[in-house]
Amino acid sequence: MSVNRPAAVVVLAAGEGTRMKSRTPKVLHAICGRSLVGHVVTAAQELDPEHLVVVVGHGREQVTAHLAEVAPTVRTAVQAEQNGTGHAVRIALEELGRQLDGTVVVVCGDTPLLTGETLRALAGAHTADGNAVTVLTAEVPDSTGYGRIVRGADGAVEAIVEHKDASDAQRAIGEINSGVFAFDGKLLAEALTQVRTDNSQGEEYLTDVLGILRAAGHRVGASVAADHREILGINNRVQLAEARRLLNGRLLERAMLAGATVVDPSSTWIDATVTFEPDSVVHPGTQLHGATRLAAGAEVGPGCTLTDTTVGEDARVINAVAVGAVIGAGASVGPYAYLRPGSELGPKAKVGTYVETKNAKIGEGTKVPHLSYVGDATIGDYTNIGAASVFVNYDGMAKHHTTVGSHCRTGSDNMFVAPVTVGDGAYTAAGSVITKDVPAGALAVARGQQRNIEGWVARKRPGSAAAQAAQAAVEEPGPDA
Ligand code: UD1
Ligand code: CA
């Protein structure tokens, strides 16, 4: 066990979050592709603690199910009634079932901007100084609502006083408790048995542990956060939006320093899980979600929303929505394209304007340039699909597959009624409804013969503008007649 490896990290997430005015528990609200508690757990995991416990209460079925999905190694402790932060930590320690030798770090589940780096620095300072407790503090522009850090004449921390319990003089203090602590595990467990509830909220305050430990002669330390925005706790949706903006800014900065060009950071929104290679470019009005990855030289936007999509080297994507798609190197997508799950574009392939694809493999250099739907299909290399074509994949009961070979030229306004196969090098006539397989190299014509009924307008629509125009054309043929 490394000296700096904490025995446990406890994440407090049992509160109701009334001010969110939401059906969803507060800590499950998401920013940048992760729940609030998901961000906190990710930061906590960077400490590599022996145990990671999340205290759940309000909406605990939902929170527990969510944690099982995103962080299966995390344990949960149930705090059925929210009797305060001290009570919550006590329940977490009981869940672990024994006295903990070493450091116990406590964080709140609603501070998504907190970084693993800051937690590591806090735990490091705590161990180096030999403290019983070290609290992460911050100087904030408005300390209303926070617990205030009360320091003695020598500058040492004497106590934390909650806003509701503070005197006017104490309320004037600008240094606040972030809610993040490093404790000596054994001393924490002991002190928690002494925490009382004789305060304005009738709760067991974790913050009282500082005064208790200090009175018992133990070292109480404080570490001031370099950037107070990092400890922003989310209580309402205004703060949720603020946290999203700050975190998004941080993620974009990281991408830019890694070599990505972000033309307009203020209109670009990315998840924490998106990755960029150098010389990728993001144009305004773009959102990148999930496991989306931009390879070197890939250029995306304006106006793209990509989820779990890989954009290959030097590919170009404009005004497109893509979910679960793979876009090959040098491929071109949009403007106004919709790539649905299972769309795989080969190198230099093109999916153009008003084209939707789903579960479709589109080969190298193959083009679907205009107004088409390609669903459940495999298309070979260097084939051109005519404008306004539909891969008719659904018979009302089941989906069927269409295969089109390489170097084909299919006509405009074709329907490929699946299951059907068009062989390599085949052509199809415009307006064809292809219901039977087309052999390699054949031309398929599958449409009604044209029939002209002479003089129909003069007989059936006499005196109409059409009839007059037709009459004039017969009497005075145009130059090219
Ligand atoms: C708490 C601190 C305050 C600090 C502030 C920082 C205490 C008594 N006060 O105040 O000093 O400045 O955080 O944001 O600790 N929770 C539980 N069970 C409970 C009560 C709370 O799990 O019984 C959880 C909440 O879900 C939340 C966190 O603990 O994640 C903090 O609780 P909250 O009620 O928001 O405390 P604050 O009043 O903000
Ligand atoms: Ca709070």
Side-chain angles (χ1 to χ4, degrees):
M1 186 184 83
S2 101
V3 214
N4 282 326
R5 188 180 183 202
V9 176
V10 176
V11 179
L12 305 185
E16 185 173 9
T18 335
R19 285 166 285 177
M20 294 299 281
K21 305 219 164 72
S22 178
R23 280 176 298 185
T24 304
K26 175 167 84 175
V27 295
L28 294 191
H29 282 260
I31 60 173
C32 302
R34 255 187 214 137
S35 65
L36 299 182
V37 70
H39 284 289
V40 175
V41 165
T42 303
Q45 280 167 335
E46 282 187 40
L47 290 175
D48 188 28
E50 278 181 70
H51 304 282
L52 180 43
V53 189
V54 180
V55 181
V56 298
H58 266 279
R60 59 179 170 269
E61 295 81 11
Q62 270 171 280
V63 178
T64 304
H66 170 74
L67 288 170
E69 198 185 312
V70 301
T73 58
V74 164
R75 292 168 71 166
T76 54
V78 175
Q79 186 192 26
E81 270 179 72
Q82 283 71 58
N83 295 329
T85 47
H87 180 239
V89 172
R90 199 148 62 74
I91 281 175
L93 297 186
E94 279 165 20
E95 166 70 27
L96 293 174
R98 60 189 175 86
Q99 294 265 321
L100 291 169
D101 280 325
T103 303
V104 173
V105 173
V106 176
V107 294
C108 294
D110 62 356
T111 54
L113 299 175
L114 195 66
T115 60
E117 201 183 328
T118 295
L119 289 177
R120 267 201 306 274
L122 178 77
H126 173 77
T127 319
D129 295 349
N131 291 337
V133 54
T134 310
V135 54
L136 182 69
T137 73
E139 288 281 349
V140 294
D142 178 9
S143 58
T144 310
Y146 285 104
R148 306 301 202 283
I149 303 296
V150 179
R151 290 182 185 259
D154 58 349
V157 177
E158 289 186 337
I160 297 176
V161 181
E162 289 306 299
H163 180 91
K164 286 177 180 159
D165 303 296
S167 66
D168 285 348
Q170 287 169 333
R171 283 187 183 179
I173 296 170
E175 188 184 8
I176 58 101
N177 166 27
S178 69
V180 182
F181 304 88
F183 291 99
D184 175 286
K186 272 192 187 142
L187 294 175
L188 171 64
E190 276 165 39
L192 280 172
T193 63
Q194 296 167 46
V195 169
R196 302 202 314 233
T197 55
D198 54 345
N199 50 56
S200 65
Q201 302 186 77
E203 289 183 351
E204 290 176 40
Y205 288 170
L206 178 64
T207 46
D208 284 355
V209 167
L210 272 81
I212 292 167
L213 289 175
R214 185 176 163 81
H218 296 291
R219 281 181 73 93
V220 174
S223 162
V224 186
D227 183 351
H228 69 83
R229 291 173 305 185
E230 209 183 297
I231 55 106
L232 179 69
I234 310 305
N235 294 318
N236 59 45
R237 300 196 199 221
V238 177
Q239 292 168 326
L240 187 71
E242 172 72 358
R244 183 182 292 116
R245 194 179 61 77
L246 289 168
L247 183 53
N248 189 60
R250 195 198 275 171
L251 295 168
L252 288 174
E253 211 172 285
R254 191 176 69 186
M256 289 186 277
L257 292 175
T261 291
V262 179
V263 175
D264 180 22
S266 69
S267 72
T268 303
W269 296 90
I270 64 169
D271 286 356
T273 41
V274 171
T275 51
F276 300 84
E277 282 181 14
D279 288 322
S280 52
V281 179
V282 185
H283 291 281
T286 292
Q287 309 186 52
L288 305 176
H289 298 299
T292 293
R293 193 180 136 257
L294 305 194
E299 207 166 334
V300 167
C304 286
T305 302
L306 310 184
T307 305
D308 299 331
T309 289
T310 300
V311 185
E313 258 177 60
D314 300 316
R316 188 74 183 89
V317 185
I318 303 172
N319 285 103
V321 175
V323 183
V326 178
I327 299 168
S332 154
V333 175
Y336 311 114
Y338 181 20
L339 308 183
R340 291 167 51 204
S343 296
E344 273 180 48
L345 280 57
K348 295 197 161 63
K350 178 187 171 97
V351 166
T353 303
Y354 299 115
V355 175
E356 175 181 341
T357 65
K358 185 217 73 178
N359 187 27
K361 259 186 118 143
I362 294 169
E364 175 172 346
T366 284
K367 295 177 178 170
V368 189
H370 330 276
L371 297 155
S372 294
Y373 172 63
V374 182
D376 298 305
T378 306
I379 308 178
D381 300 334
Y382 301 100
T383 279
N384 192 86
I385 302 297
S389 291
V390 174
F391 285 61
V392 182
N393 58 335
Y394 185 48
D395 61 11
M397 301 283 280
K399 300 286 170 70
H400 303 281
H401 198 87
T402 294
T403 303
V404 177
S406 294
H407 296 284
C408 294
R409 296 286 178 270
T410 70
S412 290
D413 194 28
N414 273 199
M415 302 287 130
F416 298 95
V417 182
V420 74
T421 297
V422 177
D424 288 343
Y427 278 52
T428 62
S432 287
V433 178
I434 304 297
T435 54
K436 288 187 239 157
D437 288 355
V438 180
L443 166 68
V445 185
R447 63 184 185 213
Q449 289 283 342
Q450 184 169 333
R451 188 162 67 103
N452 296 335
I453 303 168
E454 296 281 348
W456 185 93
V457 172
R459 289 196 304 279
K460 298 292 189 187
R461 302 286 185 270
S464 67
Q468 283 166 29
Q471 179 68 23
V474 173
E475 283 167 7
E476 253 179 71
D480 52 14

